[in-house]
Amino acid sequence: MHLQSTKRLENGVEMPLFGLGVYKMTDRDETISSITKALQVGYRAIDTASLYFNEVEVGEAIRHSNVPREEIFVTTKVWNTDQGYDNTLRAFEASLKKLAMEYVDLYLTHWPVADKFVDTYRAIERLYDEKLIRVPGVSNHHSHHLEQIFTKANTAPAVNQVEMHPYLSQQDLRAFCAEHNIAVTAWSPLGRGGVLTDDTIQALAVKHGKTPAQIVLRWHLQHGIIVIPKSVKSHRIEENAQIFDFELSAQDMLTLDALNQNKRFGKDPDNFTFDI
């Protein structure tokens, strides 16, 4: 396993296991600089969303890099107020224009808006059928949301992006997704920094000569979870990627698994509002 290792999705597309999340990157120069740095380090996946208001900068940074577009896996998402079948198609067109790209690698429903998320996914399926996206997916979907999609979908979601970290290990949802060949991506893989002061994680960091963040990111990867840590700091972008020169033992993994508290730092998909 290395920085550009990939996970083969259900439809055969190879998705990088490691990428850069750009949530809350609102400063234009900072956003472009962060993406440029990540691509220079060797990242090959960028995760954005219409809500982040930085799709223009993502597209610009990628175009101005020396990395061919086809080597970069770009994810974006349809926001809650744009959901529904026709609205999703229009939202995608707007995102594609902002990115100034001919296609998006992965397009996700951002949250499962009641009475809309199934139709939203049907629109994502259409975009997939029209080859405007390479992978159809969702985010923040519980298993019962996925089951509702299954009743109408011809092509099941290939990816589910959810909050996951040692305090919220999502074991049941991960098992459900594995059963249905749905890859899991962790947003907030470090628990918005809230898990990094944990004594157990800090002790493992000392043991391996790594930072707490590196321990947690390695834990995700060894569970087969795709990670998209966010940072605008150059040294942190480099540091986050330096997790391929060590391995957590089976006991280390069990120790980290035992930290689960089912604690969320974000919203529960069954109880969220649009002002996230």
Side-chain angles (χ1 to χ4, degrees):
M1 192 161 48
H2 53 82
L3 180 54
Q4 294 178 6
S5 290
T6 59
K7 187 180 191 77
R8 182 178 289 270
L9 303 178
E10 173 65 8
N11 65 354
V13 170
E14 299 284 347
M15 181 175 178
L17 284 170
F18 193 93
L20 179 72
V22 297
Y23 178 49
K24 289 190 175 178
M25 290 191 192
T26 54
D27 180 89
R28 170 184 165 78
D29 292 341
E30 189 174 65
T31 302
I32 292 175
S33 175
S34 298
I35 296 168
T36 299
K37 176 64 176 181
L39 293 174
Q40 288 172 346
V41 168
Y43 288 58
R44 289 298 178 265
I46 307 296
D47 182 279
T48 185
S50 61
L51 175 70
Y52 305 168
F53 300 106
N54 56 22
E55 290 171 313
V56 169
E57 289 77 15
V58 168
E60 185 173 332
I62 288 172
R63 283 193 303 279
H64 293 162
S65 74
N66 59 1
V67 182
R69 165 67 184 94
E70 61 271 17
E71 293 182 15
I72 303 173
F73 194 96
V74 178
T75 299
T76 193
K77 312 171 191 76
V78 54
W79 182 237
N80 302 337
T81 52
D82 293 325
Q83 287 195 34
Y85 188 84
D86 291 334
N87 285 345
T88 296
L89 296 177
R90 284 191 287 269
F92 176 79
E93 186 176 351
S95 286
L96 200 63
K97 185 174 181 180
K98 289 175 183 175
L99 289 162
M101 294 176 179
E102 295 181 356
Y103 67 93
V104 168
D105 295 277
L106 173 61
Y107 196 49
L108 305 175
T109 310
H110 210 140
W111 290 82
V113 175
D115 302 323
K116 289 188 176 182
F117 71 90
V118 173
D119 285 338
T120 297
Y121 185 75
R122 285 181 53 245
I124 291 175
E125 268 194 292
R126 175 175 168 179
L127 296 169
Y128 176 64
D129 290 340
E130 293 179 355
K131 295 183 167 41
L132 291 168
I133 63 176
R134 296 176 66 218
V135 180
V138 297
S139 59
N140 299 304
H141 280 42
H142 288 317
S143 55
H144 70 85
H145 297 123
L146 293 166
E147 286 172 335
Q148 288 183 64
I149 286 174
F150 294 161
T151 64
K152 296 290 181 76
N154 295 314
T155 303
V159 175
N160 187 13
Q161 183 180 126
V162 298
E163 180 181 356
M164 182 181 161
H165 42 75
Y167 286 179
L168 183 69
S169 62
Q170 298 274 26
Q171 188 169 352
D172 290 345
L173 180 58
R174 282 159 45 204
F176 180 91
C177 288
E179 180 184 348
H180 294 278
N181 297 313
I182 300 171
V184 175
T185 299
W187 65 257
S188 193
L190 305 176
R192 294 181 175 170
V195 304
L196 300 183
T197 57
D198 185 276
D199 290 344
T200 298
I201 292 172
Q202 293 210 342
L204 284 171
V206 172
K207 173 184 173 182
H208 289 279
K210 290 290 182 178
T211 67
Q214 289 169 332
I215 295 296
V216 174
L217 292 172
R218 182 73 198 190
W219 172 78
H220 282 285
L221 292 183
Q222 288 184 215
H223 270 309
I225 304 301
I226 297 160
V227 289
I228 46 170
K230 177 189 81 73
S231 183
V232 296
K233 298 177 180 177
S234 291
H235 75 279
R236 194 77 69 204
I237 289 170
E238 286 192 57
E239 181 183 280
N240 285 343
Q242 293 168 353
I243 56 174
F244 300 96
D245 57 352
F246 79 106
E247 186 171 353
L248 296 169
S249 70
Q251 184 56 55
D252 292 337
M253 293 293 287
L254 289 172
T255 298
L256 288 165
D257 291 346
L259 296 177
N260 180 54
Q261 306 169 16
N262 293 322
K263 177 179 179 178
R264 294 181 181 274
F265 292 95
K267 301 285 187 177
D268 186 324
D270 280 335
N271 182 25
F272 69 93
T273 57
F274 289 0
D275 58 345
I276 294 169

